[in-house]
Structures are given as C-alpha cells and as structure tokens.
Amino acid sequence: MKENIELRGQLRGYLAWPLYLSLFLVIGNGAVAMINVSAAAVLCPFTVGYLAAAGWIYWYRRKRVLGGLVEFSSGYAWIQKQLLEEMVIPYALADEDGRILWMNQVFQEVMDEGKVSKKNITSIFPEVTRADLAVDDETVHVHSTFGEYKFGLDIRPVYLSSNEAEEKEAMVGREKLLAVYLFDETESLRYRQLVTEEKLVTGVIYLDNYEEALESVEEVRRSLLTALIDRKINKFITSVEGVVKKMEKDKYFFIVKQKHMDQILEERFSILEEVKSVNIGNEMAVTLSIGIGMNGETYGQNYEYARTAIDMALGRGGDQAVVKDGSRIQYFGGKSQQLEKATRVKARVKAHALRELMATKDRVLIMGHKLGDIDSLGASVGIYRIATALNKRAHVVINEVTSSVQPMLQRFLDSPDYPDDLVLTGSQAAELVDANTMLVVVDVNRPSITDAPELLRMVKTIVVLDHHRQSSEIIGNAVLSYVEPYASSACEMVAEVVQYIADGIKIKTVEADAMYAGIVIDTQNFTNQSGVRTFEAAAYLRRSGADVTRVRKLFRDSMEEYKARASAI
C-alpha cells in the first residue's frame, strides 16, 4: 500500500509538468508582446491551446492513466501469485517454529496436503532440527527422506520489512517466515549409488608360507596342492563376478565390483579359512594374506592402496585381510601367529639396503619409543655400533630415562669409549638435523608413540626396524621398513643385521650385554616367542662378549625391594 501511494505521487508530479512548462510559455508570450504586439497576437492562440491540452491531460486523462496503472499492478500481482503457485519446485512457507502456513501445488502433490497441512516441518522431516530453523541470514541445507523420496531441503529466512532499518529490526525481533524449497534427489542419489557400485576394487593375494607348505608334502602331491589352492582362490573371486590372475607362484591379482564388497566383508573373507582347510597330507596349513584398495581417484591409486594393504597384512603376521578405503583401514582375520622363517635372506637384503642408505649420510639419529625399555635401548646401541663402524656420527635419542633402563644406560655414560653426546633429547637432536641426517626408528612403528615424533617430520631419510604388528597408524614416509612380527625382539633383528651389513664389525661387551638383555626381557628369559633365530642371535651375542650372569644381576631386585614387595603382598 505504501509503495502504491509513493508511486501515485510520482505519477501526479510527472503529469503536472506540462502545467509548469505552460507558465514559461505565458511569460515568453508577454515578453514577445513588449517587443511586437502583432507577433504576440500570433503566438497567443498557440499558448492558449497548449494550456488547454496540459489541463486536459492533468485533470481528465490522469484518472485513466492511474486506472491503467492499478489494472497493470493487479494483473502483475496475479501473475506473480500464479507463478509462485504453479512453480515447478515444491515451495512452502512456515513460521519461526516450523509450522507450515502455505504451500504451492507441487508441494501439496509431493507431501499430500491432507497429511501435512498445518504440521511442523520438523515432524515431516526429522533431520530438520530447531537449530536449522533459528538461522538469521543464511540458507540451511538438509538432506531428508519422505516416503520413497529423498529430498534436499533449502531453508531460507524471509523478513517482513520494506527497508534496511526495518530488516535489521526484524532480525533482532525474529519477525520472519521460513521459505522451504524441496529438491528431489531420489534419482541422482540412485545413479550415484550405481556409479559407486560399479567402481572397480583392486586386490592382491599372497600365500604366506607357500614354500614351507610344499616342503611338508610329498613331491608327487605338490602340484595337486597348488591346484587345489588355485581352485579355492578362483572360486572365491568368480563367485563375486571378479577376475583373478596369477602373477607368480604365490601371488595373485584380482578385481571385483564395489557392489560385491558388502558380501565379502559380511562373510569376513571366508577364503582365509577355506584355504587353510586344504589338506592332502601337508603337515603345515597354507595361509594367505589379502590386500584390497578401493575408492581411489584412479585405478593406479587403488592398486597402490592394495599394495599398502598387503604390506600391512604381512607386517601384522599374515593370515589376514586388510582393506584400505581411502584413509580408512579395516582388518579381518589374523588369528594365527606367523611362523618364524628359517631363511635369513630378508635380513641380509635389508642389511645391505640399510648400508647403502647410511653411506649417503653424515649423521645418524637413533630413536625408540616413549618410556623406552631395554629392548629399545639394546637395538639403539646395535644401530649405533653399525653407524660408527661405517664412520658416521651417531646419537641415541632418549627424552626420559626409566628406572628399568637406567642401570644399563649408566654403563655407557660412565664408559670413556663413548662420547658425551651419545644420548640426546629430542630438542637437542632436532638442532642437528640437516639434509645429510638419517633417522633410524627401532622397536616401534607407530609415529605417535615414538620418543620424538617431531623428528619424523624433519628428517627425510627414515628407516624403521620393529617386531610389533603394524596398525593403521604407520610411519608412512619411511624409505626402508623392516617389520617382522615373528621376531622375538628388536635386538634379535638388529643382531642379524649387524652380521650381514659389513665385514669385521666387532660389538663391544657392553653393547652385547644390552642387546642380550633386550632379548631376555622381551622373551621372558626365552620362554615366550623364542624361535631358532632367537637362540642364534643370542649365541652370536654370547660370542661377542655378552655375560648372562652380568645381565641378570643388572635386573635383579635388591633385598630391600624384595622384602618390601613380600610385605605388601
């Protein structure tokens, strides 16, 4: 109404302009009369005619113009109403509390007006919360389901104001309506789901103990054992419409559609148990590891995910499946313990790789886990001996010395054979980091529990040696990773590496004691997870000067501690 009044005033002023201009025409006619009466007499009829025409337009035609304006405004408002009413997009208005006040025809058809009229928007769409209705100056997007349809809701505030000042006042006073738009996402979500289901999932299968299993069966039956295993794997993959290809004698590559992954995960990779059931006289059951990569941006990235997954499965002991879905990692199986491998080929290969990396660096930092134990210390001094034998400056990073490590560490600190900077804190080590620095992490493969996690971000060349099972949290930027869950301790692994990394490395007695102590503590005096290679490593350390009695005395309780514990019990 206010806008109509303003518009009428402007139109009246516009129609009065001819009257104002006629005044100038009369003045002009008078000026001409002062100069020449005859000329003024000739001009006078034209002036009178102009005045008559201006008056006729202002007093008579104005009503018709205003009538046409009103008629146009009414028609325009009706058109707007019809467009809003017949708009293809479902549209409704609700009050501040979410109660529906009005809806267009399409909204009525979708929602069934008899069921939702005057109802609250939050009861129709449970995903819409009170917080969504309380917005002041932004659009809220909500996804919801109504019947068989899936909708995207846009909720926008509409203020009942005509200028900026009133709009601000309305925002403070919460005098508003809510405009609700519905966008049907049913088909788009269905097609998106179809695209997701049709994605290719990449996987690799490794037989963990192929050689050992073949050796445990008669030679004439070995081909039959291999054929049975191939048949089990092919049957498992083809049952989910996949394709499998044997790459090597103990390695397979396969692809399946992502829509079948739910079935595979629900069965929790039944192939793991099926392969172990193959028995044609073989003393050792065959186990396999599976790595699967999915939801990568490219097929190549899916394959890299699968490679990472199979490495994690093998690093955790094998006989399990690992699924890497982007950054999310899932584990299945892993019930059996990985058997110790009799061959030391892997230890020799890792030792040579470690030597090549050390040859390119000037300084080596060695770090264990937080609140390090004797196994962490023993492995660290073993790597220290390797580095010094290769003429590299080496330091052991320890932030906090525990009571269990203090007696052994004190032997190094009191010895003149070791420099004063043998042991550094994390902050001191960080000051020494440069492009020619190498970091060796022992007895831990999770970055969050290393003694100085900041070093992992500063050093570019990182090596990991550990005997714990890998989890989803790994040191991802390691250039060399030697993780063997079958090993009894990190000291056992380092003792093997020392024997292969270079000729003529002589371990000092105190270092042999520390490494031997690490094996003794982690195996609970050779009663837990001790294999052939554990005793071979212990024998090597004994030949290098480790003294069993001296080691036991270091960890023996004093009489006072023994009495106090007995009294407490």
Side-chain angles (χ1 to χ4, degrees):
M1 185 66 182
K2 184 177 180 180
E3 291 179 357
N4 288 337
I5 294 174
E6 291 178 354
L7 186 59
R8 288 191 179 194
Q10 294 177 4
L11 186 60
R12 185 182 294 111
Y14 178 77
L15 295 176
W17 266 107
L19 294 177
Y20 300 149
L21 292 176
S22 63
L23 179 62
F24 288 98
L25 188 58
V26 171
I27 296 173
N29 197 22
V32 171
M34 293 176 63
I35 299 173
N36 190 322
V37 176
S38 300
V42 174
L43 185 60
C44 185
F46 293 99
T47 304
V48 173
Y50 182 83
L51 285 171
W56 181 77
I57 291 174
Y58 182 76
W59 280 288
Y60 180 75
R61 292 297 300 175
R62 184 185 65 176
K63 295 181 180 180
R64 292 182 176 271
V65 172
L66 291 176
L69 178 63
V70 171
E71 183 178 354
F72 172 78
S73 300
S74 301
Y76 181 74
W78 181 84
I79 292 174
Q80 280 188 316
K81 182 177 181 300
Q82 287 298 113
L83 289 176
L84 190 62
E85 182 73 23
E86 299 174 1
M87 187 167 57
V88 178
I89 299 175
Y91 174 80
L93 288 174
D95 61 14
E96 293 182 80
D97 297 325
R99 188 171 63 255
I100 295 178
L101 304 176
W102 176 88
M103 65 186 77
N104 67 357
Q105 293 178 0
V106 183
F107 199 102
Q108 294 174 12
E109 293 172 1
V110 173
M111 296 288 105
D112 188 356
E113 181 184 7
K115 294 182 179 180
V116 304
S117 181
K118 303 300 181 182
K119 282 192 174 182
N120 198 295
I121 197 73
T122 57
S123 63
I124 303 172
F125 303 104
E127 290 79 4
V128 179
T129 63
R130 291 293 178 182
D132 297 329
L133 303 179
V135 295
D136 287 331
D137 56 354
E138 61 183 11
T139 301
V140 176
H141 305 279
V142 181
H143 298 278
S144 184
T145 302
F146 183 83
E148 299 178 354
Y149 299 95
K150 293 179 172 58
F151 291 105
L153 282 78
D154 279 5
I155 303 175
R156 303 177 184 176
V158 178
Y159 296 99
L160 305 177
S161 56
S162 60
N163 55 53
E164 185 176 356
E166 292 182 5
E167 183 175 351
K168 292 181 179 179
E169 183 180 352
M171 291 176 64
V172 175
R174 304 176 63 83
E175 298 172 0
K176 66 180 179 182
L177 294 178
L178 297 174
V180 181
Y181 300 85
L182 294 185
F183 300 95
D184 191 351
E185 299 178 334
T186 307
E187 285 298 310
S188 62
L189 291 177
R190 186 173 69 86
Y191 288 127
R192 185 178 298 177
Q193 180 65 24
L194 288 176
V195 171
T196 301
E197 290 178 351
E198 293 298 315
K199 285 182 179 179
L200 288 183
V201 175
T202 305
V204 288
I205 300 175
Y206 285 7
L207 299 180
D208 299 327
N209 54 347
Y210 178 78
E211 297 290 347
E212 292 83 352
L214 287 184
E215 291 176 359
S216 68
V217 72
E218 298 177 7
E219 186 172 356
V220 294
R221 291 191 170 187
R222 290 178 182 175
S223 59
L224 177 59
L225 178 62
T226 303
L228 290 175
I229 295 172
D230 288 346
R231 184 173 180 272
K232 291 281 187 183
I233 294 176
N234 278 278
K235 183 179 179 181
F236 173 74
I237 300 300
T238 54
S239 66
V240 290
E241 303 178 359
V243 178
V244 59
K245 177 68 176 178
K246 190 172 185 177
M247 299 187 294
E248 299 178 24
K249 60 184 179 180
D250 58 347
K251 294 180 177 64
Y252 303 80
F253 172 81
F254 68 90
I255 54 175
V256 296
K257 290 183 178 180
Q258 191 161 316
K259 65 181 180 181
H260 297 293
M261 283 303 299
D262 290 339
Q263 175 186 343
I264 296 175
L265 298 180
E266 184 178 351
E267 296 175 355
R268 303 190 68 80
F269 292 88
S270 57
I271 185 65
L272 296 174
E273 298 299 325
E274 290 178 8
V275 169
K276 284 192 286 187
S277 66
V278 176
N279 190 340
I280 58 171
N282 48 300
E283 299 176 1
M284 181 180 297
V286 179
T287 64
L288 53 82
S289 298
I290 304 175
I292 291 180
M294 56 191 294
N295 284 325
E297 295 183 0
T298 62
Y299 295 149
Q301 190 172 43
N302 274 350
Y303 181 66
E304 290 302 320
Y305 284 170
R307 291 288 301 273
T308 302
I310 195 67
D311 289 342
M312 298 185 69
L314 296 174
R316 288 168 55 86
D319 186 29
Q320 59 192 283
V322 178
V323 179
K324 182 170 174 56
D325 183 357
S327 59
R328 180 188 177 199
I329 299 178
Q330 295 175 277
Y331 302 94
F332 300 86
K335 297 179 181 178
S336 61
Q337 183 176 355
Q338 185 176 4
L339 298 176
E340 179 185 47
K341 295 185 182 294
T343 176
R344 291 189 183 180
V345 174
K346 189 173 183 179
R348 176 172 55 82
V349 171
K350 298 294 184 180
H352 289 176
L354 178 61
R355 179 177 179 178
E356 291 178 0
L357 289 173
M358 280 191 177
T360 62
K361 303 299 176 181
D362 296 333
R363 188 187 305 275
V364 179
L365 300 177
I366 309 149
M367 176 175 65
H369 52 79
K370 291 179 181 178
L371 302 177
D373 55 10
I374 193 63
D375 184 35
S376 176
L377 176 63
S380 297
V381 298
I383 299 297
Y384 172 84
R385 175 48 51 203
I386 293 173
T388 52
L390 297 176
N391 298 319
K392 307 296 180 183
R393 289 173 293 177
H395 311 276
V396 178
V397 179
I398 301 177
N399 277 324
E400 184 177 353
V401 180
T402 61
S403 58
S404 62
V405 174
Q406 182 62 42
M408 181 64 73
L409 181 61
Q410 197 61 43
R411 294 182 62 187
F412 290 93
L413 300 179
D414 294 340
S415 174
D417 296 334
Y418 297 95
D420 295 336
D421 60 353
L422 168 66
V423 178
L424 301 176
T425 63
S427 57
Q428 292 172 334
E431 297 177 356
L432 301 177
V433 173
D434 55 22
N436 290 317
T437 301
M438 175 180 176
L439 176 63
V440 181
V441 181
V442 295
D443 201 30
V444 61
N445 58 58
R446 294 173 57 187
S448 62
I449 60 174
T450 54
D451 214 342
E454 64 275 8
L455 294 178
L456 298 174
R457 297 185 293 269
M458 300 173 64
V459 181
K460 301 301 181 183
T461 305
I462 300 175
V463 176
V464 179
L465 287 88
D466 188 27
H467 67 108
H468 298 102
R469 277 192 170 192
Q470 287 183 317
S471 64
S472 57
E473 183 190 6
I474 60 174
I475 300 175
N477 56 338
V479 295
L480 176 63
S481 181
Y482 185 21
V483 180
E484 292 294 351
Y486 66 78
S488 66
S489 58
C491 288
E492 174 189 330
M493 298 173 63
V494 173
E496 292 181 347
V497 170
V498 170
Q499 298 176 63
Y500 290 110
I501 198 166
D503 296 332
I505 293 183
K506 178 64 176 176
I507 297 179
K508 295 184 178 181
T509 300
V510 63
E511 296 165 350
D513 283 348
M515 298 175 67
Y516 186 85
I519 296 177
V520 170
I521 295 300
D522 268 26
T523 60
Q524 298 180 12
N525 202 16
F526 298 98
T527 61
N528 180 38
Q529 203 175 355
S530 299
V532 174
R533 292 171 63 173
T534 307
F535 289 99
E536 289 177 350
Y540 167 73
L541 296 173
R542 287 282 288 113
R543 291 194 300 270
S544 299
D547 190 325
V548 178
T549 304
R550 187 167 57 240
V551 169
R552 288 183 176 176
K553 284 183 177 180
L554 281 173
F555 300 102
R556 186 171 58 187
D557 293 335
S558 65
M559 182 58 69
E560 291 76 12
E561 292 176 349
Y562 180 80
K563 288 181 178 180
R565 185 179 296 108
S567 175
I569 293 174

